[in-house]
Amino acid sequence: MTTATDTAWKGPAGMGAVAAGIALAVILAWLALLLRAVPQPSVAALPLVPILAVVSATLVLACIRGRRWAIGLLFIFAFFGLSFGMRMDGYARTGGMDVENIIKLSSWLLVFLICPFHVRRLLPFLRERTVLLACLYGLVAFVSAAWSLIPAYTAANALGLASYIILACLVVSVLGPDATLRLLTLTLLVFITIGLISGVVFPDIAWLPPSVEEHVYRLRGFSGHPNVLGAQAALLATFALILKRRKVIGWTVLVASLVVGFAAIMAADSRTMLAATAGTWLVIALRERRLLAPALLFGSVFAFLAVVLLALGRFPDLTVLLGPLARTGSINEVVTLTGRTELWAVSFDLIKQKPLFGWGFGGTEALLIESVGRGFQGAPVNAHNMYIQAVFNLGFIGALPAFGMLAVLLWRMLSRPDAARDQLVLLVMVIGLTEVSIFALPVLLTFSFFLILAREAVMPEARS
């Protein structure tokens, strides 16, 4: 498979793209603020349509011709433009077309418009099993619109899932894998830095007020929700470590990425993301030093002793140990993972009703909210577990391509280790224990995961 040389975007071209991305970010941030301030943002955005049409047409024509600058800007827009959260609660709404949904749907359709002109570039990616399984998962998601409770919404999000797969393969093919991940890291660094600055400049918008039982303000920036910002910051820190290990970035970018990334995670009070980022880095570091097996053995012995002490009633008071981890100070919050166990139980009951092909991709929000009941404290918009959500959406049969994709990656992790791939895959899988991650609506984490799959297709050394 032929790809661009990675060195092509290390010089002025790469820095020019990042500078253009910064300008684009500022413009989008300003537009987001303006649209939030007006009562009818869809109407307010109408004067911008002609300008956006001209810019989009120019970009699309250049992308069709395979211009690197155009593909790079499209890639940056996929991060900046589609990661800006304009909703105050950060969650998508399955009814109606607000400005955010219109922007996303238009962008996804543009990718499909470009796709036929790059068939020769894209078809070889299907030789990679994980890419093929991802495409099959996207196809099943689209077909599930036939039985979804919200057919149009399901079809639109399946379209987004497929467009992210296409765009990931196209960008990696044109820019090269290392240059793509470097541009991704720099783009994330700028985006999250702007999010941190928004906490000072626009505090009323950037901070999520505490709930009834909590007492902590959480930073969401322009990401829409603290958990989303936390996931994006975890990606930044992870990719920075990956690229420094591959000597693609220097110490300056690494330190800046780690400082900004962990500052955002702490400001968002995203404890899961902090543990996932540090834990996956530790696993890879131990494996590279051939210390993973002893560490696992020590962990197993410690876990066995803890179980024995619990059985004998001599284990330390859990309230003292786990209480500081809860935002409310209640141990119940930690034990139930802030209500997630209740969501999982309700999701399992609904899965039993349609176990084979599920309720439809992304069409379960209203059903879950209704099933949980009004007394639930939290945001029951999804199962908050990507494995459960995959089965909830598409059933045990429909979710097979997704689980098959993870199985292939896990097998390669054991048989053909590659730190760059394995660290991101582990991060996604750990995050997936408490968030829907890559198996729900297409988001930045999904796109980043597909970039790693596309990298697998063009880097045989990662698989052998």
Side-chain angles (χ1 to χ4, degrees):
M1 183 181 298
T2 303
T3 60
T5 57
D6 286 315
T7 56
W9 278 60
K10 283 189 177 181
M15 296 310 297
V18 175
I22 295 174
L24 181 62
V26 173
I27 294 172
L28 288 172
W30 183 250
L31 289 176
L33 289 172
L34 288 178
L35 294 175
R36 276 178 170 176
V38 298
Q40 293 182 318
S42 300
V43 176
L46 287 178
L48 302 175
V49 172
I51 300 175
L52 292 176
V54 172
V55 173
S56 299
T58 304
L59 184 62
V60 167
L61 289 175
C63 287
I64 287 174
R65 299 182 65 183
R67 303 301 187 193
R68 288 183 184 176
W69 66 266
I71 300 295
L73 284 181
L74 180 62
F75 173 68
I76 292 172
F77 176 75
F79 274 83
F80 275 126
L82 305 187
S83 297
F84 265 98
M86 300 181 189
R87 305 182 185 94
M88 295 307 291
D89 59 358
Y91 294 107
R93 288 292 164 259
T94 54
M97 287 292 289
D98 58 12
V99 174
E100 191 167 334
N101 282 336
I102 292 173
I103 292 175
K104 288 184 177 181
L105 184 59
S106 301
S107 303
W108 297 337
L109 290 173
L110 286 179
V111 173
F112 274 90
L113 179 62
I114 297 168
C115 176
F117 297 93
H118 295 278
V119 172
R120 288 188 177 182
R121 287 183 180 274
L122 297 173
L123 282 180
F125 282 89
L126 294 178
R127 298 171 187 168
E128 164 58 38
R129 279 178 292 175
T130 56
V131 174
L132 181 61
L133 287 168
C135 291
L136 184 57
Y137 178 66
L139 178 61
V140 176
F142 186 79
V143 173
S144 71
W147 62 83
S148 171
L149 298 175
I150 314 174
Y153 190 77
T154 292
N157 283 288
L159 185 74
L161 193 71
S163 71
Y164 278 169
I165 299 172
I166 294 170
L167 184 56
C169 295
L170 179 60
V171 171
V172 168
S173 175
V174 173
L175 304 184
D178 281 346
T180 297
L181 296 186
R182 180 176 182 270
L183 189 58
L184 177 155
T185 303
L186 294 175
T187 303
L188 270 174
L189 178 58
V190 173
F191 180 80
I192 296 174
T193 300
I194 291 174
L196 289 174
I197 294 173
S198 71
V200 178
V201 180
F202 307 109
D204 293 340
I205 294 176
W207 293 91
L208 180 70
S211 63
V212 178
E213 297 181 352
E214 296 178 359
H215 306 285
V216 178
Y217 279 83
R218 304 176 64 195
L219 181 68
R220 58 187 170 191
F222 291 112
S223 299
H225 193 275
N227 290 345
V228 179
L229 176 62
Q232 293 167 348
L235 281 177
L236 172 61
T238 300
F239 277 121
L241 288 169
I242 288 172
L243 292 181
K244 184 63 181 74
R245 187 184 292 114
R246 291 185 58 82
K247 299 180 180 179
V248 177
I249 61 173
W251 283 103
T252 302
V253 177
L254 174 64
V255 172
S257 299
L258 293 180
V259 170
V260 170
F262 283 106
I265 291 175
M266 299 302 292
D269 197 19
S270 186
R271 297 159 297 174
T272 301
M273 302 306 168
L274 179 62
T277 306
T280 52
W281 171 80
L282 181 61
V283 168
I284 297 299
L286 289 174
R287 188 183 68 178
E288 289 187 337
R289 291 163 177 76
R290 298 184 179 181
L291 296 174
L292 183 58
L296 291 175
L297 178 61
F298 175 79
S300 300
V301 172
F302 180 80
F304 175 76
L305 292 176
V307 171
V308 171
L309 290 175
L310 277 173
L312 297 175
R314 296 185 178 181
F315 199 82
D317 186 7
L318 291 178
T319 304
V320 176
L321 292 175
L322 302 180
L325 299 177
R327 297 189 189 100
T328 61
S330 172
I331 189 177
N332 184 62
E333 178 187 340
V334 179
V335 174
T336 65
L337 298 176
T338 60
R340 284 173 171 81
T341 52
E342 183 179 347
L343 288 176
W344 297 347
V346 174
S347 298
F348 277 125
D349 290 338
L350 294 171
I351 288 172
K352 291 177 184 177
Q353 299 179 30
K354 291 189 175 182
L356 299 182
F357 294 102
W359 293 86
F361 184 75
T364 59
E365 177 183 319
L367 176 66
L368 190 57
I369 292 175
E370 181 182 349
S371 301
V372 170
R374 297 182 179 180
F376 180 80
Q377 297 292 331
V381 294
N382 54 58
H384 282 278
N385 181 294
M386 80 172 188
Y387 309 99
I388 296 174
Q389 188 69 42
V391 180
F392 192 9
N393 280 341
L394 300 177
F396 288 100
I397 294 179
L400 281 177
F403 292 128
M405 176 177 62
L406 291 181
V408 171
L409 292 170
L410 282 174
W411 173 249
R412 289 179 184 172
M413 196 180 300
L414 298 173
S415 60
R416 306 165 187 173
D418 175 59
R421 174 197 65 217
D422 298 344
Q423 189 165 347
L424 191 279
V425 171
L426 276 176
L427 178 70
V428 168
M429 295 186 69
V430 173
I431 291 175
L433 294 173
T434 57
E435 300 294 339
V436 289
S437 191
I438 61 172
F439 288 162
L441 307 182
V443 292
L444 179 60
L445 188 63
T446 315
F447 188 24
S448 301
F449 184 80
F450 289 155
L451 286 171
I452 291 296
L453 301 188
R455 175 184 177 273
E456 285 283 281
V458 301
M459 295 186 68
E461 65 270 23
R463 296 179 279 116
S464 62

